[in-house]
Amino acid sequence: MTQPSDASHNPAQEQPLQDRVENRSHRPSSDAFKAFMGSQWQEVEAIDFQPDAAAPYAAQRRAAVSRQFPTDRLVIPAGAPKVRSNDTDYRFRPHSAFAHLTGLGVDHEPEAVLVMQPVAEGSGDDGSNHEATLFFRPLAGRDSEEFYSNTKTGEFWVGPVPTLKELNQRTGLPTKDLTELEYAVTVDAGVVEIGGTRIRLVRETDQNMDALVDTSRINTGVDLEISDALDGELAEFLSELRLIKDEHEIAEMCGSVESTIRGFEDIVRAIPQATKHDRGERVIETAFFARARLEGNDLGYDTIAAAGNNATVLHWIRNTGQVKEGDLVLVDAGVEADSLYTADITRTLPVSGTFTEIQAKIYNAVLEAADAALAAAKPGVLFRDIHLTAMEVLAQHLSDWGILPVSVEEALSAEGQQHRRWMPHGTSHHLGLDVHDCAQARREMYLDAPLRPGMIFTIEPGLYFKNEDLAIPAEFRGIGVRIEDDILVTQDGAESLSAHLPRTVQEIESWMAQVWNS
Ligand code: GLY
Ligand code: MN
Ligand code: MN
């Protein structure tokens, strides 16, 4: 078929592509409509808000940041919404550094930015060296066009958002409209040696902020490469600041763990239904998801619901598999609270309610490794030694089973590591606002650092024997086991926050029987 040719006809010029998103709707634009829409709405109620429980803790964290960078302007964006498809965004979640320094969780506030402005030494907030201000787009008046016409920010579309007064009262921070942000970020910015103010930015969180700061740097002759390194130091410090959790954070983590434990009970209850469904793993995944949304903000990360051989795929999040009687199902899941702190727990459960002999043998080896790692955890012990302790136990079992091709000593040496074929991931990671928390911390502050009270991390050894693995006896194949608990370092030891979720073979079997019979 031929198209009529018309060289002068250019549809893209008649209506620019970016305007076509409106072609599916029919929004009135008459002055009469606008005047009517802007009238006869009840006033927004003037409520006084109490400070958030997190507010004083967030203030202490900002004071620590101020001490570290006493003369620099610090810019910490919440981030912009991320497109999921076309004009549909993912549900917004602020950057964890922003949440940590403001105490705000849930969906606050797309495009918000915390700016810490350096002032004369000791004359800032609480005697610090900075005055912090929270910039965000506040609730638009009901007489504004934004109220009914902006699909991303208008109250008519997305519901109420806070006013400047609300977030000021809740956070204790002065608040300003986003329209004042550009000036606050760029005023007097420049080369320090000639009297300019140095900016440090949490990068790659909000492209507009990256562009604003980069443009300011270029315009004022600030070296971009050096600035990148300075920004990196800020990210590193903010990550390391989260290595030790304060009492508010510990309480939030306990809440996330409790919700997650209830979610695991939902999982057990869903298993009989899962065995009847073609995508039984999804039955398990969605049972947990309901708990996460009902009690918290969301999942802390995509749930792994992995039955049979899928349990040997470390990041199995497709969850499309069947859940068959006689198999194990490994579930790794965490509820993220409204405060954005997440748990990260794994249990490996027998689909039929009882472990077979070989399943129990493998399970008990992993359990012994987890218990040994927990017993080793106390202040002063190196983070890396938790992993080594677990590896010693697993290597010994692999050797006893005749699977390890070398001696335990040789496997555990740096030149060996053969046991890692069946346990290729780390045993522990810090946990908090991010599931893999403190990810920008230096090695000497993380892996090589001594444990300190207030640290929260996982202990999660596993053994993964794939169907395709010809290095093991057939009876081991198609079995994956991981046991993951969330551990708090105390003054003289460590405690598992998730210890009361059944984890021995016997506890699990009686728990499943009890849930199914209730
Ligand atoms: N589910 C991610 C992890 O356990 O680290
Ligand atoms: Mn996990
Ligand atoms: Mn984990």
Side-chain angles (χ1 to χ4, degrees):
M1 222 169 86
T2 55
Q3 298 285 329
S5 87
D6 177 357
S8 67
H9 179 70
N10 183 348
Q13 225 163 34
E14 280 168 18
Q15 188 189 32
L17 295 175
Q18 67 271 21
D19 289 353
R20 294 186 189 179
V21 64
E22 301 295 338
N23 285 354
R24 66 183 153 82
S25 66
H26 195 87
R27 184 172 299 146
S29 59
S30 69
D31 288 343
F33 170 75
K34 288 181 183 170
F36 186 48
M37 280 302 277
S39 67
Q40 298 180 66
W41 298 107
Q42 200 175 316
E43 289 275 311
V44 174
E45 212 180 331
I47 302 171
D48 276 326
F49 292 85
Q50 295 303 311
D52 288 349
Y57 298 94
Q60 284 172 22
R61 299 166 199 156
R62 291 194 297 276
V65 182
S66 177
R67 281 192 293 279
Q68 183 71 13
F69 305 106
T71 58
D72 298 346
R73 178 176 298 145
L74 309 173
V75 181
I76 300 110
K82 291 186 179 58
V83 173
R84 183 176 185 281
S85 94
N86 184 25
D87 59 349
T88 309
D89 296 333
Y90 287 101
R91 196 178 279 124
F92 181 70
R93 183 201 191 273
H95 190 278
S96 296
F98 176 89
H100 194 231
L101 295 184
T102 61
L104 292 170
V106 204
D107 56 351
H108 299 292
E109 280 301 319
E111 295 171 11
V113 180
L114 177 70
V115 178
M116 293 178 61
Q117 167 67 15
V119 292
E121 196 183 336
S123 70
D125 306 330
D126 303 320
S128 77
N129 308 310
H130 288 80
E131 283 171 358
T133 304
L134 179 60
F135 294 81
F136 68 103
R137 182 183 288 103
L139 184 69
R142 289 176 185 160
D143 54 354
S144 70
E145 208 167 317
E146 181 177 339
F147 167 61
Y148 64 87
S149 72
N150 191 321
T151 59
K152 303 275 184 190
T153 62
E155 185 184 354
F156 215 105
W157 292 86
V158 299
V161 295
T163 60
L164 293 175
K165 184 179 141 203
E166 174 180 339
L167 283 199
N168 167 248
Q169 291 180 330
R170 286 180 41 202
T171 63
L173 286 160
T175 49
K176 287 191 175 165
D177 192 291
L178 266 193
T179 51
E180 299 187 58
L181 176 64
E182 182 172 334
Y183 178 81
V185 170
T186 57
V187 62
D188 299 331
V191 177
V192 174
E193 288 72 21
I194 55 170
T197 300
R198 178 191 285 140
I199 308 175
R200 291 189 197 242
L201 167 70
V202 174
R203 296 189 74 85
E204 290 172 22
T205 303
D206 183 333
Q207 281 183 353
N208 289 334
M209 279 299 105
D210 287 5
L212 179 68
V213 170
D214 284 344
T215 307
S216 162
R217 283 171 175 165
I218 291 164
N219 290 344
T220 55
V222 171
D223 186 289
L224 287 185
E225 228 170 278
I226 294 174
S227 298
D228 248 11
L230 298 177
D231 290 343
E233 286 174 3
L234 175 61
E236 174 186 291
F237 184 79
L238 295 179
S239 224
E240 292 178 0
L241 188 62
R242 288 169 27 208
L243 284 165
I244 308 289
K245 271 63 180 176
D246 59 39
E247 58 182 348
H248 179 72
E249 295 183 287
I250 293 169
E252 287 301 319
M253 287 298 299
C254 288
S256 303
V257 167
E258 291 310 318
S259 288
T260 301
I261 287 174
R262 286 188 282 277
F264 270 90
E265 187 162 326
D266 300 334
I267 287 167
V268 170
R269 208 170 288 116
I271 285 178
Q273 188 60 30
T275 61
K276 299 189 190 87
H277 198 286
D278 214 31
R279 296 208 286 190
E281 291 173 347
R282 292 280 174 97
V283 174
I284 289 173
E285 176 196 321
T286 51
F288 187 83
F289 181 64
R291 182 65 65 171
R293 284 294 287 164
L294 290 173
E295 293 194 9
N297 178 49
D298 209 328
L299 302 167
Y301 53 91
D302 287 325
T303 297
I304 297 169
N309 189 55
N310 289 342
T312 69
V313 180
L314 296 179
H315 284 173
W316 178 256
I317 55 170
R318 281 187 214 132
N319 304 342
T320 46
Q322 292 180 348
V323 174
K324 295 191 188 132
E325 299 284 351
D327 278 349
L328 294 178
V329 59
L330 180 159
V331 189
D332 183 342
V335 174
E336 178 188 83
D338 286 349
S339 59
L340 307 179
Y341 288 85
T342 188
D344 178 9
I345 297 177
T346 306
R347 287 293 181 265
T348 307
L349 308 169
V351 173
S352 313
T354 50
F355 289 82
T356 65
E357 204 177 315
I358 181 73
Q359 288 167 349
K361 178 158 112 168
I362 298 167
Y363 189 92
N364 282 328
V366 175
L367 185 68
E368 193 183 320
D371 286 346
L374 177 59
K378 60 175 186 223
V381 168
L382 296 186
F383 190 88
R384 58 160 61 255
D385 288 345
I386 304 297
H387 172 69
L388 293 180
T389 303
M391 290 310 95
E392 281 169 16
V393 175
L394 293 183
Q396 186 62 55
H397 280 287
L398 289 163
S399 175
D400 293 348
W401 298 334
I403 291 178
L404 202 60
V406 296
S407 71
V408 171
E409 293 68 37
E410 192 178 337
L412 291 172
S413 72
E415 296 73 36
Q417 299 293 307
Q418 288 83 349
H419 58 288
R420 298 296 298 279
R421 176 181 175 114
W422 301 288
M423 161 64 190
H425 60 77
T427 303
S428 297
H429 58 80
H430 280 271
L431 182 66
L433 284 165
D434 292 326
V435 62
H436 297 154
D437 213 36
C438 314
Q440 278 84 39
R442 288 163 292 168
R443 197 180 174 88
E444 64 264 33
M445 295 294 287
Y446 200 131
L447 201 60
D448 293 340
L451 301 184
R452 287 185 283 159
M455 285 182 166
I456 294 182
F457 57 85
T458 63
I459 291 182
E460 50 176 308
L463 283 172
Y464 311 93
F465 298 119
K466 289 185 182 294
N467 270 339
E468 307 77 19
D469 191 339
L470 302 182
I472 53 173
E475 58 169 351
F476 283 79
R477 293 184 198 143
I479 298 177
V481 172
R482 177 164 64 255
I483 304 169
E484 179 173 27
D485 287 282
D486 300 343
I487 312 301
L488 167 68
V489 182
T490 57
Q491 290 303 323
D492 51 7
E495 110 187 44
S496 170
L497 303 178
S498 43
H500 54 294
L501 180 61
R503 60 196 282 286
T504 67
V505 163
Q506 205 186 3
E507 280 168 3
I508 287 176
E509 289 181 350
S510 23
W511 171 52
M512 292 179 75
Q514 176 232 314
V515 171
W516 288 344
N517 292 326
S518 64

